[in-house]
Amino acid sequence: GDCIARILHVPDNFESIQIAIDDCQDRDTVIVSPGTYFENLTLSDNSITLASLFLITGDRVLIDSTIIDGGENGQSVVNIRDSQGRESLISGLTITNGFSDYGGGIYIRHSAPRLEDLIIRNNTAQRNGGGVYNTEESETRLSNITFENNTANNGGGAVSIYQLSNIYINNCVIRSNHAELFGGGVQCSNATALIENVRIESNTSGQYGGAIHVFGLASVRLNGAELIGNQAILGGAIGVWNESLVSATFVLFAENTATFGGAVWIELGSFVANNSTFSGNQCEESGVIVLSGVSQVLFDTSILWNNTQPVVATIAAEGSLVDVNYSDIESGRESFSFEGGDFQWGDGNITV
């Protein structure tokens, strides 16, 4: 008959987490008692649950007190590789001190795990994905996670999504992460992401997208998110580049700063805002939302108020489109510095 799933306890039954994982069969559960475990873990072959006692008790104190420490030794803290399915769950742990080329905290390749109720902090990627790197057609779900103080020397201080992979990020806090080049919080390339009910704050990027950078035929949908106090040179909150799309619905953009594009920088890409608010965003030059190259911006039922003027500016953007409908725009049409392309001041716009 079918094998009965087991519960394996660390350290009561196994002296290390990896030994317990290696003993697992499909659908087994590894429960880790509070403490700090200096390990670099690999999950492959079997779909399992790895969790603290939080999974049983619901006590969130256990997330802080059950720590997997990667020791900054050139490896990800957790490696999830090759066909880990939706039944795989990591929950109730703190993941810290990872140091690797990709995915300092957690590296995910060709898998579809669920990561829930985690703290992912103080991890470093030499390339991409300081906190999490999601690649090679992976379909990962991230829920109830705090990402903080993670760093990537290229892109995705907290999360990096690559190579036809897909990610769902829900009810997370992404704060105080840094990328040297692309996406202080999140980087998405040739992949898709749905980001809902997430607060992305105080992240920094040395170039594009303080909160999020999207490029290379990528698509990101934001729903019910708050992007607050992020900073970059191009796109304080978001950088959109190279035939990519970002759509924002019920999103707050507040107090983001950049040299160009205090809130959003679009270069050969598209940005759509529905029922969203832009307030207190600042830029040193050009506008709060800047189009470069042939790009598109659509505003519908949105508020743009108390930002650096002009709100929208273009740089060498012949063939671009700006379309504004049913929105409350400070200073009205005068908020737009638009040369070349098609500027459509549509129906229902107000200045209140």
Side-chain angles (χ1 to χ4, degrees):
D2 295 335
C3 293
I4 298 174
R6 300 174 300 157
I7 300 177
L8 292 70
H9 291 272
V10 178
D12 291 349
N13 304 136
F14 297 86
E15 64 180 358
S16 76
I17 301 170
Q18 187 64 59
I19 292 173
I21 291 170
D22 292 343
D23 196 70
C24 282
Q25 300 174 357
D26 266 344
R27 300 179 186 268
D28 283 351
T29 298
V30 176
I31 296 292
V32 182
S33 293
T36 300
Y37 300 81
F38 293 93
E39 300 193 49
N40 302 93
L41 305 176
T42 298
L43 282 68
S44 59
D45 300 327
N46 297 310
S47 294
I48 68 169
T49 295
L50 171 63
S52 72
L53 288 165
F54 166 81
L55 188 69
I56 298 170
T57 67
D59 184 355
R60 301 195 71 83
V61 172
L62 292 163
I63 302 173
D64 273 299
S65 61
T66 312
I67 301 165
I68 305 177
D69 189 317
E72 298 182 329
N73 63 2
Q75 301 178 63
S76 304
V77 182
V78 180
N79 279 277
I80 303 172
R81 298 173 180 266
D82 301 326
S83 301
Q84 288 288 305
R86 191 66 74 204
E87 297 83 7
S88 294
L89 170 66
I90 299 178
S91 177
L93 302 164
T94 293
I95 307 295
T96 191
N97 289 335
F99 185 92
S100 66
D101 286 342
Y102 297 91
I106 301 176
Y107 178 95
I108 303 164
R109 183 186 74 191
H110 196 244
S111 297
R114 293 174 291 135
L115 310 182
E116 300 177 0
D117 300 290
L118 302 172
I119 298 170
I120 300 176
R121 66 157 67 107
N122 298 332
N123 300 285
T124 300
Q126 291 283 73
R127 296 287 296 166
N128 300 318
V132 170
Y133 184 70
N134 191 74
T135 191
E136 293 185 30
E137 301 181 354
S138 292
E139 297 190 5
T140 300
R141 299 174 70 89
L142 310 178
S143 301
N144 306 319
I145 298 174
T146 297
F147 293 88
E148 58 186 4
N149 299 322
N150 301 288
T151 301
N153 289 341
N154 186 51
V159 180
S160 185
I161 311 130
Y162 262 81
Q163 293 181 329
L164 302 176
S165 62
N166 178 52
I167 204 163
Y168 176 52
I169 305 175
N170 178 55
N171 198 33
C172 293
V173 175
I174 301 172
R175 66 179 173 226
S176 301
N177 303 281
H178 176 73
E180 287 295 313
L181 295 177
F182 308 111
V186 177
Q187 175 196 44
C188 186
S189 174
N190 193 26
T192 60
L194 173 58
I195 302 174
E196 294 189 307
N197 306 314
V198 170
R199 185 178 178 93
I200 308 177
E201 62 177 335
S202 302
N203 302 283
T204 58
S205 171
Q207 289 291 330
Y208 290 89
I212 300 171
H213 184 239
V214 183
F215 71 106
L217 302 173
S219 174
V220 171
R221 288 186 294 148
L222 293 162
N223 186 29
E226 297 179 341
L227 280 64
I228 300 174
N230 302 285
Q231 184 175 0
I233 294 175
L234 300 164
I238 293 178
V240 188
W241 190 27
N242 191 15
E243 299 183 51
S244 293
L245 167 67
V246 173
S247 64
T249 304
F250 295 108
V251 175
L252 172 63
F253 295 81
E255 300 176 8
N256 302 287
T257 61
T259 305
F260 299 93
V264 182
W265 170 274
I266 308 119
E267 186 171 349
L268 303 174
S270 300
F271 176 75
V272 179
N274 294 293
N275 293 287
S276 293
T277 298
F278 298 76
S279 178
N281 301 287
Q282 303 292 319
C283 60
E284 296 178 17
E285 302 182 32
S286 66
V288 168
I289 299 167
V290 175
L291 290 76
S292 177
V294 180
S295 300
Q296 295 80 40
V297 173
L298 286 76
F299 296 104
D300 192 280
T301 325
S302 292
I303 298 171
L304 292 88
W305 205 267
N306 195 32
N307 302 284
T308 299
Q309 296 289 330
V311 171
V312 176
T314 62
I315 301 174
E318 189 69 34
S320 291
L321 169 66
V322 174
D323 189 358
V324 186
N325 295 278
Y326 298 100
S327 294
D328 185 357
I329 311 293
E330 184 179 16
S331 301
R333 297 182 63 161
E334 295 179 1
S335 293
F336 295 82
S337 173
F338 191 80
E339 297 180 4
D342 187 8
F343 176 48
Q344 298 183 6
W345 183 259
D347 296 331
N349 295 310
I350 61 173
T351 299
V352 177

